[in-house]
């Protein structure tokens, strides 16, 4: 909360309004105030009426006067200072009832602000509720039920179908389809098997898993996300700093104006009248609505994003995201899945597709190259006998013995394509990497391997264009591959064969024309992410580097979260501007009305506090969540088995 506002808050996270200390105090003050006015109207003596109003004043003032005094000791002046001075002045003028009304209304505003902020902060803490109450651990051949906090690195967890994973780990036995929708927003379960990573809060599908714990409950992915976002929320966006810049000089400025009004007015007229007007002006110019308008919106918007698998690192990132008008996309791992696959096999010399892949797979059987994984994924590895005497020729390919015959696999140029020259040329122009396969001195085929576009890529680019964003693709791949994939995705601006520093340079050029976001994997795109107005990491679940280097992290692998997140930030920024405009308008209108005596103290306090409630309610709207197309949204339960809707955690809008 802003210093200018002078708003205090406890560390508790209330679930209901009546659990907020400020609102309870306001309720007591309200009851006493009503009792005081009722006694006055019923003709009771002045002493009981004064006592009831004084008690109401004390109850309401207890929510902000102590905080104000502590701030004054540290030399910090805030809106609470104005309210305290106004209340004291009203008492000195004999208007104990109006002072009590001021304290009552201000305490309501303080309480509503605290409740709204606590409610949106709970959006982050709700991530931790995805962890089950108990985890089953295998120890000494027995199954032992433990609390997640008792898990240690190296423990073997047993995760049954339908249960949530208690902490991060690596699968050691079993296969399943993991539902990670509540964490990353993925709408489709992710296949997982031995050596595959699992994250806290994931829901196991149909298989029984043995998972080796790799992180404690205090250090797993969910806990780390909560810590990162809560820490980064202290970063203030430009709008927050604007509110503070307006509020901080406004407070002493208004106090000076009030002194001048009281002093000059007293020389020209009735001192009591002008002192009262000075106090009313003091209250009318209170900038608390301005000071709280941005923080409430920021916390609500970031909380909504975090619940949908999007990490937004504070107000600065949120506002920058709302200003973005150009998006630079890395190709590998962003527009594509970074999972090359065989898309075509051309044959020659009477060979069949299976024969070509058989020779290629035998040569690649022990290779860790991405192309090797793609080729091996296209065959039944149980039928493949690894080639003998395999030698790697740097920058060219592989050579070895397959079933007693010399075989080679490599790029065109090292191997002559012969009759497959036209096929190789076509493959390359289609954006694929072509490798030739030679058996016993004869080229028998060409294999096209390509990192395919994500299925949703074209839809996302269409949405970005419809939203008025300039879209560019940045990649280190060759021009032919980049152009083919960009054409398929619907991207016109393509920058290929770029080194990391080249990407940073291109992003810098884009920034000169419009606010630019760079979307990459957060590791090899680090220079471009740092250069952009905003860095967005794609698929950052469990990747520390991506989370730390980017301003925003899309934890899932569904690229549709990108336009949803941009829309969400735009909407949040509109709400911020609405709140700032309303806050300034209230101050502008109330001050002259108070100065000329049109509005009294009670009326000004009422209008001002109603305005605070309005900006709080408006700011909380930024926490609304809309699912991705085809999904439903449901908050997760703590039980091991979620309701059907729970597996479709939505994306933000």
């Amino acid at each position: 909360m802003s210093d200018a506002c002078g708003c205090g808050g406890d560390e508790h996270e209330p679930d209901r309004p009546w659990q907020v200390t400020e609102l309870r105090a306001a309720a007591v003050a309200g009851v006493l105030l009503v009792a005081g006015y009722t006694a006055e109207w019923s003709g009771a003596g002045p002493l009981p009426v004064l006592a009831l109003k004084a008690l109401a004043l004390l109850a309401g003032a207890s929510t902000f006067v102590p905080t104000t005094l502590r701030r004054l000791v540290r030399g910090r002046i805030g809106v609470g200072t104005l309210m305290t001075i106004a209340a004291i002045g009203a008492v000195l003028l004999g208007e104990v009832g109006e002072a009590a009304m001021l304290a009552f209304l201000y305490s309501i505003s303080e309480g509503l602000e605290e409740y709204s902020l606590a409610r949106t902060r709970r959006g982050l803490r709700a991530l931790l509720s995805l962890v089950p109450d108990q985890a089953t651990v295998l120890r000494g051949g027995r199954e032992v039920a433990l609390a997640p906090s008792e898990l240690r690195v190296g423990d073997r967890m047993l995760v049954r179908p339908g249960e949530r994973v208690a902490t991060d780990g690596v699968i050691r036995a079993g296969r399943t389809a993991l539902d990670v929708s509540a964490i990353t927003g993925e709408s489709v379960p992710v296949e997982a098997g031995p050596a595959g990573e699992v994250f806290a809060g994931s829901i196991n599908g149909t298989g029984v898993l043995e998972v080796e714990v790799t992180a404690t409950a205090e250090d797993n992915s969910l806990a780390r996300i909560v810590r990162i976002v809560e820490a980064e929320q202290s970063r203030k966006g430009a709008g927050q700093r604007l509110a503070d810049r307006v509020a901080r000089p406004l407070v002493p400025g208004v106090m000076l104006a009030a002194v001048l009004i009281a002093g000059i007015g007293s020389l020209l007229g009735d001192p009591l009248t002008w002192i009262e007007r000075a106090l009313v002006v003091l209250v009318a110019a209170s900038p608390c609505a301005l000071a709280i308008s941005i923080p409430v919106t920021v916390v609500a918007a970031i909380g909504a994003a975090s619940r949908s698998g999007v990490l937004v690192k504070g107000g600065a990132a949120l506002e920058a995201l709302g200003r973005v008008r150009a998006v630079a996309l890395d190709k590998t791992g962003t527009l594509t899945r970074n999972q090359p696959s065989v898309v075509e096999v051309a044959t020659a010399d009477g060979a069949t597709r299976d024969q070509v892949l058989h020779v290629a797979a035998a040569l690649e059987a022990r290779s860790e190259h991405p192309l090797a994984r793609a080729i091996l994924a296209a065959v039944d590895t149980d039928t493949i006998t690894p080639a003998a005497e395999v030698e790697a020729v740097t920058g060219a390919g592989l050579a070895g013995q397959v079933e007693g015959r010399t075989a080679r696999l490599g790029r065109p140029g090292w191997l002559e394509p012969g009759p497959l020259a036209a096929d190789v040329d076509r493959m390359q122009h289609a954006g694929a990497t072509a490798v030739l396969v030679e058996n016993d001195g004869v080229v028998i085929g060409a294999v096209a391997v390509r990192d395919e576009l994500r299925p949703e890529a074209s839809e996302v680019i269409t949405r970005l264009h419809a939203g008025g964003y300039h879209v560019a693709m940045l990649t280190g791949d060759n021009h032919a591959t980049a152009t083919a994939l960009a054409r398929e995705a619907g991207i016109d601006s393509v920058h290929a064969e770029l080194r990391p520093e080249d990407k940073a340079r291109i992003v810098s050029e884009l920034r000169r024309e419009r606010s630019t976001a760079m979307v990459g994997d957060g590791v090899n795109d680090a220079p471009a992410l740092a250069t952009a107005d905003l860095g967005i990491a794609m698929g950052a679940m469990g990747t520390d580097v991506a989370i730390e280097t980017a301003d925003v992290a899309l934890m899932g692998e569904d690229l549709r979260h990108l336009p949803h997140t941009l829309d969400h930030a735009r909407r949040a920024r509109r709400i911020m501007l609405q709140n700032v405009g309303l806050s300034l308008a209230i101050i502008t209108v109330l001050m002259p009305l108070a100065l000329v005596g049109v509005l009294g103290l009670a009326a000004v306090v009422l209008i001002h506090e109603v305005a605070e409630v309005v900006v709080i309610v408006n700011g909380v709207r930024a926490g609304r969540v809309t699912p991705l197309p085809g999904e439903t949204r449901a908050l997760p339960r703590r039980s091991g088995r979620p309701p059907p809707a729970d597996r479709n955690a939505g994306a933000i809008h």
Side-chain angles (χ1 to χ4, degrees):
M1 284 174 260
S2 172
D3 289 344
C5 187
C7 307
D10 297 327
E11 293 298 320
H12 66 286
E13 301 291 349
D15 294 319
R16 297 290 184 269
W18 57 82
Q19 295 175 329
V20 179
T21 302
E22 291 86 350
L23 289 179
R24 290 202 297 266
V28 172
V31 170
L32 291 169
L33 194 58
V34 169
Y37 279 115
T38 301
E40 185 177 7
W41 294 331
S42 63
L47 190 58
V49 171
L50 179 62
L52 288 170
K53 290 181 178 179
L55 289 173
L57 171 60
L58 291 174
S62 67
T63 64
F64 63 91
V65 171
T67 302
T68 296
L69 296 178
R70 286 194 297 269
R71 291 178 183 275
L72 282 174
V73 170
R74 298 196 299 268
R76 296 163 67 183
I77 298 175
V79 173
T81 310
L82 291 178
M83 295 299 182
T84 302
I85 293 173
I88 293 173
V91 171
L92 293 176
L93 292 172
E95 300 291 345
V96 177
E98 290 197 3
M101 179 67 72
L102 180 152
F104 166 63
L105 293 172
Y106 190 61
S107 62
I108 290 178
S109 174
E110 293 281 88
L112 287 176
E113 180 193 354
E114 174 58 30
Y115 174 65
S116 67
L117 292 175
R119 196 183 78 171
T120 51
R121 283 197 301 265
R122 287 200 307 274
L124 298 177
R125 292 292 180 182
L127 285 171
L128 297 180
S129 70
L130 296 175
V131 176
D133 295 320
Q134 287 190 327
T136 303
V137 179
L138 299 175
R139 286 184 178 172
R142 296 188 308 111
E143 296 180 9
V144 181
L146 297 176
S149 60
E150 298 179 59
L151 293 172
R152 295 294 175 261
V153 174
D155 282 344
R156 285 287 184 102
M157 290 189 299
L158 185 68
V159 186
R160 296 181 177 88
E163 291 184 341
R164 288 189 182 274
V165 180
T167 191
D168 298 351
V170 175
I171 298 174
R172 295 308 181 199
R175 289 186 175 276
T176 189
L178 285 172
D179 179 358
V180 296
S181 58
I183 307 165
T184 66
E186 292 288 339
S187 58
V188 179
V190 177
E191 296 295 329
E197 286 186 292
V198 295
F199 301 105
S202 303
I203 304 171
N204 188 16
T206 56
V208 177
L209 299 178
E210 283 189 26
V211 178
E212 180 180 338
V213 173
T214 59
T216 63
E218 297 80 17
D219 219 18
N220 64 33
S221 51
L222 289 180
R224 187 171 65 249
I225 288 166
V226 171
R227 285 198 302 271
I228 289 171
V229 176
E230 287 185 337
E232 291 294 343
Q233 279 187 340
S234 62
R235 291 172 44 182
K236 294 185 175 182
Q240 287 177 287
R241 291 190 295 271
L242 172 63
D244 288 344
R245 285 200 302 270
V246 172
R248 284 170 183 160
L250 181 62
V251 171
V254 168
M255 292 175 65
L256 178 61
V259 171
L260 292 175
I261 291 171
I264 297 173
S266 297
L267 295 175
L268 301 177
D270 180 20
L272 289 179
T273 299
W274 284 101
I275 289 174
E276 182 178 354
R277 288 189 183 181
L279 292 171
V280 176
V281 168
L282 203 65
V283 177
S286 171
C288 198
L290 170 66
I292 69 174
S293 61
I294 303 301
V296 170
T297 308
V298 166
V299 175
I302 290 176
S306 69
R307 295 192 301 272
S308 303
V310 180
L311 293 182
V312 181
K313 296 184 180 179
L318 181 68
E319 290 201 30
L321 192 61
R323 292 192 301 269
V324 165
R325 292 299 177 267
V327 180
L329 295 159
D330 175 50
K331 181 185 76 68
T332 305
T334 302
L335 284 169
T336 68
R337 290 191 177 277
N338 197 20
Q339 296 174 353
S341 60
V342 174
V343 295
E344 182 185 353
V345 178
T347 62
D349 197 44
T352 65
R353 181 181 188 277
D354 289 341
Q355 288 172 333
V356 172
L357 289 175
H358 180 86
V359 173
L363 289 167
E364 296 278 26
R366 292 190 172 91
S367 173
E368 294 298 323
H369 193 278
L371 293 183
R373 292 195 292 272
I375 291 172
L376 291 171
V379 301
D380 182 359
T381 54
D382 293 336
T383 65
I384 300 299
T385 301
E389 302 176 19
V390 176
E391 294 181 4
V393 181
T394 304
L398 300 171
Q401 297 292 316
V402 178
E403 298 176 354
R405 297 179 180 179
T406 300
R408 294 194 297 169
L409 175 146
R411 62 176 179 79
W414 184 57
L415 296 179
E416 292 301 323
L420 297 174
D423 293 296
V424 168
D425 187 62
R426 176 175 48 78
M427 291 173 178
Q428 291 176 333
H429 278 85
T433 299
V435 292
L436 293 165
V437 181
E438 181 185 271
N439 191 31
D440 203 19
V442 178
V443 172
I444 61 172
V447 180
V449 177
R450 190 170 78 162
D451 187 10
E452 294 282 49
L453 284 175
R454 296 176 184 274
E456 72 276 12
S458 297
E459 174 192 343
V460 168
I461 301 306
T462 300
R463 285 194 57 187
L464 290 174
H465 284 150
Y469 296 98
H470 172 78
V471 182
M473 185 174 83
L474 278 58
T475 179
D477 275 357
N478 62 73
H479 285 285
T481 299
T483 302
L485 285 172
R487 183 169 55 247
E488 187 177 340
I491 301 174
D492 298 323
S493 180
V494 182
H495 305 271
E497 298 183 10
L498 301 176
R499 294 173 297 178
E501 57 269 30
D502 297 326
K503 289 185 180 182
R505 175 178 52 79
I506 297 296
V507 168
S508 181
E509 292 173 359
L510 291 173
R511 285 187 61 197
R512 295 192 191 106
E513 299 179 10
R514 51 183 71 86
S515 182
T516 301
M518 172 67 193
V519 188
D521 62 13
V523 180
N524 58 7
D525 294 313
L529 287 167
T531 303
D533 293 291
L534 188 88
I536 302 177
M538 179 70 190
M541 188 62 183
T543 306
D544 290 336
V545 174
I547 295 176
E548 290 170 5
T549 57
D551 301 294
V552 176
L554 310 180
M555 292 181 292
E557 293 292 339
D558 191 335
L559 192 57
R560 292 180 300 169
H561 283 110
L562 177 60
H564 267 65
T565 303
L566 289 167
D567 288 345
H568 177 67
R570 272 189 174 183
R571 180 171 176 270
R573 188 165 182 266
R574 284 198 301 270
I575 291 174
M576 291 180 204
L577 295 176
Q578 291 168 5
N579 280 347
V580 170
L582 175 61
S583 303
L584 292 176
I586 292 294
I587 293 174
T588 303
V589 171
L590 288 186
M591 283 188 68
L593 293 178
L595 177 62
V596 298
V598 173
L599 296 178
L601 181 62
V604 166
V605 171
L606 178 61
I607 294 172
H608 190 74
E609 301 309 326
V610 168
E612 289 189 47
V613 174
V614 170
V615 299
I616 290 171
V617 172
N618 193 42
V620 170
R621 288 195 307 118
R624 282 199 317 213
V625 177
T626 301
L628 284 171
E631 293 183 333
T632 57
R633 176 71 184 173
L635 292 176
R637 299 180 181 176
R638 287 187 61 87
S639 61
R641 228 177 251 277
D646 185 59
R647 67 175 303 279
N648 292 319
I652 57 179
H653 181 251

